[in-house]
Amino acid sequence: MSYVVLARKYRPRNFAEMVGQSHVVQALTNALASQRLHHAYLFTGTRGVGKTTVARVLAKSLNCVGPDGQGGITAEPCGVCEACRDIDAGRFVDYTELDAASNRGVEEVQSLLEQAVYKPVQGRFKVFMIDEVHMLSSTAFNAMLKTLEEPPEYLKFVLATTDPQKVPVTVLSRCLQFNLRPMVPETVQEHLARVLLAESVEADAAALRLIARAARGSMRDALSLTDQAIAFGGGQLLEPAVRQMLGAVDRSHVFALIAALAEGDGATVVSTVETLRLHGLSASSTLEDMTGLLQRMAVMQAVARPVASHDPDEQRLADLAGRMPADETQLLYSLCLHGRAELGLAPDEYAGLTMVLLRLLAFKPDTGGAEKKTLKSAPESLPPPSGTAPAAPRPQEPGTSADATDADLGSPPPWHEEAPMPAAPVRQERVLDMASVLTIPVREQPAPARSERDPAGSGHRHAELRMTEEGSFWNDTVQALIRGEAITALVRELALQSQLVSREQGSWTLQIQRESLGQGQARERLQAALAGLGHEVQLVLRSGPVTDSPALRAAADARRRQDEAERLILADDFVQAMMRDFGGKIVPGTLRPVDD
C-alpha cells in the first residue's frame, strides 16, 4: 500500500477529533443535537485550519444512519456506515465538492444548481460544498442567490473561503458564518506529539516547538513540515536537524545578540552576525526570533510574574529583561520589526541585519552624564532683531537696585531642579517685542477655482457631453458587455471611449478621438463580443471628436454625484456648526461620494 501523508491520514473524522476550533465545534454540535439546522453555512479562515474538514464532518452528521442503519441526524457520526465511508472516500453521490478557484464561471454554477431539483439518491440530504467561494464571478454569485436563499428542504449549502471580504453581502446574509481561527503553537505542538506517538516516531519537544512556530497557525502546514522533518532526520525529529531543515537560527545566537545590545558591545554584534553568515542562517529568521523574545521581555518588564519552570528560555529572558531598560526593549523591538522589510533593499541581507542591530547602538541613550544639546540663548554680540525696539526697563521696587533687577532677569525659573547658578546680566535691548512677532500675517493657499467644466476643481477640463439617441443605445450595449465580462483591457477601453454615430444594415460606425484605440485586434474582438449579444454587424472606425460616449456619460454621472455629495455635506447642521463656531474648513479635494 502506498504511503499516505500525515495531513491526509490524520484528517479528523468527527468533531471530537478536531483541535483548536472548539467554538465552531460547540455551535455545530448543539445545532445538530437540537435539530436546528440552517440551510447554508460559510466557513472562513486561513489555509489549513479545517474548513473542508468541518464541511465533510457536517455532511456525515447529516447523512449518518448508524452501524445498524436505523440512526438519524447526529453530532457523532459513526464512521462505519456506508454514507460515512463514502464521504471519507470522496465517492458519496449526494455530497458534491466544487473548487471555485478553477470553476468560477456561471456555467459551472448553473450545472451544479441543476442537480438541486433532484432528491437525494443515497443519503438524507444533498450537500453542496463550494471551496474558495470568493473566486466565483459576479454573474455566478447572482445565479446562485435565489437557490441559496430558498433551497429545497433536502439541500444544504456549505461554503468555504480564505477571503470573506470578497464575498458579496447578499451571499453573506444568507449564510451562518463561522470563523476558524489560526491555531496557537501550543495546540499544534500537542497535536503533533499525539500524531508522532501513534506513528512511533521519536521526537523531542524543542523540535516540535520549532515546527509549530513555523506552521503559523496552520495544522496542515505543521503536518507537512513534520513529514519533511521525518524524512530529513532519518525517521526521528531532533532539534538540530529540524533547525537546519527550517533554516532557523539557534536561540543561543539570538540571546547573544540581545545580550550584546544590552551591554552596548558592537564588536560582539558584528561577530555574531558573521557567524550567522558562515552557517548560512536566515537574517529574516533572526529578526523574527528576536522580535518574539523582545515581546516576551517587554511583558516581563511591564507585568511581574513568576518564572515558568517548564520553559527553558524563561530564566534567560528574565535575566535579559532585568539588564535592558524598558525603553531600549521597545526601541529594539520596533527596529527589528521594521528591519525585516529593509533586508530586501540592502545589498546583502547580512549587511542589512548588521545595520538594523547597530542602529540601536547609535540611538542608545548616553548614560555617562553628558549634557544633552539644548537651545542656547543668542550671543550678546548679536544685534537685536530688525524692526524691534529695546524694551523699557522693568520698574524697580522700593529698596532694590538696578543690579538686582538685572540679576533677577537672568536667574533660572523656580521649578528648575538644579541649584541656581549666577548668570551674567541680560541686556534689556535683547528682549523681543512679542506683539511684533505675533502679528506676522499668515497666508493661506487659495482653493482651486471651479468651473462648469471642472466642478471638482481638479484642474482638468472635461469634454462637453451631448447626449443622443444612438449614444444611449451604445451605452446600454457596452454596459451589458461589461457586466457579462465579454470585453476586457483594450477592447473594453475602445467600447467606452467610442461614439456610435450611425447604424445601418449590417454595419455600425464608431467615432474615436484616439486612433491608437483601434490598433491590433481590438475592433475584431469587439465585433465578436457584439455577436454574442445578437448583433451580427461589421464595425467601421473613423477619427473625430467624441461628444457622447459611455466614458463621457460615466464622467458626467461622477461629477453629478460629487456635486450632490458636496451639497449634502455643506448643508449638514454639524458641519455648519463646526465651520461657524470653530472656523473649520473643508480641505478641497477630500470629499468623495459613497458608492452604492
Side-chain angles (χ1 to χ4, degrees), residues 483-494:
R483 285 193 300 270
E485 299 182 356
I487 55 176
T488 58
L490 183 59
V491 183
R492 183 172 183 265
E493 193 66 19
L494 171 61

Side-chain angles (χ1 to χ4, degrees), residues 26 64 197 226 368 499 585:
Q26 180 179 351
C64 179
L197 182 62
T226 303
Q499 177 179 355
K585 295 182 180 179

Side-chain angles (χ1 to χ4, degrees), residues 220 395 401 435 484:
R220 183 173 61 226
S401 62

Side-chain angles (χ1 to χ4, degrees), residues 308-504:
S309 58
H310 63 276
D311 191 344
D313 296 335
E314 199 79 8
Q315 185 58 53
R316 300 178 67 181
L317 280 175
D319 295 340
L320 286 175
R323 294 163 57 187
M324 179 176 285
D327 57 346
E328 290 188 24
T329 303
Q330 295 290 340
L331 176 60
L332 183 56
Y333 175 84
S334 179
L335 292 176
C336 293
L337 194 65
H338 294 86
R340 294 182 64 189
E342 300 177 5
L343 293 180
L345 304 176
D348 173 71
E349 68 169 352
Y350 297 101
L353 174 62
T354 303
M355 292 303 298
V356 169
L357 299 179
L358 293 182
R359 195 172 301 162
L360 175 69
L361 301 182
F363 291 115
K364 192 177 181 67
D366 188 2
T367 58
E371 181 184 2
K372 294 183 179 180
K373 295 182 179 179
T374 57
L375 293 177
K376 303 294 183 180
S377 58
E380 294 187 4
S381 59
L382 290 177
S386 60
T388 60
R394 286 194 351 181
Q396 298 184 17
E397 298 182 4
T400 61
S401 62
D403 294 339
T405 303
D406 290 343
D408 182 63
L409 287 175
S411 62
W415 57 82
H416 201 284
E417 296 181 358
E418 299 179 359
M421 299 292 293
V426 180
R427 297 194 310 180
Q428 295 177 354
E429 61 268 22
R430 290 176 50 239
V431 180
L432 295 178
D433 184 358
M434 296 306 296
S436 63
V437 175
L438 297 179
T439 55
I440 298 176
V442 178
R443 293 181 297 175
E444 295 184 0
Q445 180 70 24
R450 299 176 49 158
S451 64
E452 295 182 358
R453 289 210 171 177
D454 187 17
S458 60
H460 299 285
R461 295 176 60 86
H462 301 275
E464 184 177 357
L465 173 64
R466 299 175 183 175
M467 301 182 69
T468 62
E469 182 180 354
E470 296 292 346
S472 300
F473 171 78
W474 181 243
N475 182 67
D476 295 340
T477 303
V478 172
Q479 297 303 328
L481 293 175
I482 293 176
R483 285 193 300 270
E485 299 182 356
I487 55 176
T488 58
L490 183 59
V491 183
R492 183 172 183 265
E493 193 66 19
L494 171 61
L496 289 173
Q497 299 290 345
S498 60
Q499 177 179 355
L500 179 63
V501 294
S502 66
R503 283 184 291 166
E504 300 176 357

Side-chain angles (χ1 to χ4, degrees), residues 82-308:
E82 184 178 3
C84 291
R85 288 186 284 106
D86 287 350
I87 291 175
D88 286 335
R91 59 173 181 265
F92 191 62
V93 68
D94 293 321
Y95 176 71
T96 305
E97 288 189 6
L98 178 69
D99 179 23
S102 55
N103 301 276
R104 61 187 305 267
V106 65
E107 295 83 4
E108 290 83 355
V109 173
Q110 287 177 341
S111 176
L112 177 67
L113 296 178
E114 287 174 357
Q115 307 175 25
V117 298
Y118 303 106
K119 289 188 176 182
V121 177
Q122 289 180 266
R124 193 179 295 112
F125 292 95
K126 272 182 175 292
V127 180
F128 290 166
M129 194 276 179
I130 304 179
D131 198 10
E132 298 299 339
V133 69
H134 69 274
M135 299 290 288
L136 290 179
S137 64
S138 58
T139 52
F141 275 122
N142 293 333
M144 66 182 293
L145 283 180
K146 187 60 179 178
T147 308
L148 184 62
E149 182 177 12
E150 297 178 355
E153 60 180 4
Y154 52 79
L155 177 61
K156 303 295 181 185
F157 281 93
V158 180
L159 312 179
T161 178
T162 56
D163 196 353
Q165 288 78 16
K166 294 183 179 179
V167 180
V169 293
T170 51
V171 175
L172 295 177
S173 64
R174 290 166 166 81
C175 304
L176 286 185
Q177 183 173 347
F178 296 92
N179 182 30
L180 280 73
R181 305 164 186 161
M183 302 180 196
V184 296
E186 292 77 11
T187 301
V188 176
Q189 182 178 348
E190 293 174 1
H191 184 67
L192 292 181
R194 290 193 295 268
V195 168
L196 294 177
L197 182 62
E199 290 287 311
S200 300
V201 175
E202 180 184 355
D204 57 18
L208 296 183
R209 191 181 304 115
L210 287 173
I211 295 176
R213 286 203 304 264
R216 299 184 182 278
S218 171
M219 188 63 75
R220 183 173 61 226
D221 288 3
L223 291 170
S224 299
L225 288 174
T226 303
D227 259 327
Q228 182 180 353
I230 292 174
F232 187 86
Q236 57 183 356
L237 270 71
L238 301 179
E239 181 185 9
V242 173
R243 191 178 294 278
Q244 183 181 359
M245 181 196 75
L246 296 175
V249 180
D250 190 348
R251 279 291 178 90
S252 62
H253 297 309
V254 180
F255 278 110
L257 285 173
I258 298 178
L261 292 170
E263 299 296 332
D265 188 355
T268 302
V269 171
V270 175
S271 63
T272 305
V273 173
E274 186 63 25
T275 302
L276 298 177
R277 182 201 299 270
L278 294 177
H279 288 81
L281 299 177
S282 171
S284 179
S285 178
T286 302
L287 291 178
E288 181 180 1
D289 286 352
M290 289 184 66
T291 303
L293 294 181
L294 289 167
Q295 182 266 336
R296 295 170 61 185
M297 288 172 54
V299 172
M300 291 180 181
Q301 292 170 345
V303 181
R305 62 180 182 181
V307 177

Side-chain angles (χ1 to χ4, degrees), residues 503-519:
R503 283 184 291 166
E504 300 176 357
Q505 185 67 27
S507 176
W508 292 2
T509 301
L510 297 179
Q511 189 157 298
I512 55 177
Q513 198 158 346
R514 292 182 296 166
E515 296 183 358
S516 60
L517 292 173
Q519 294 178 354

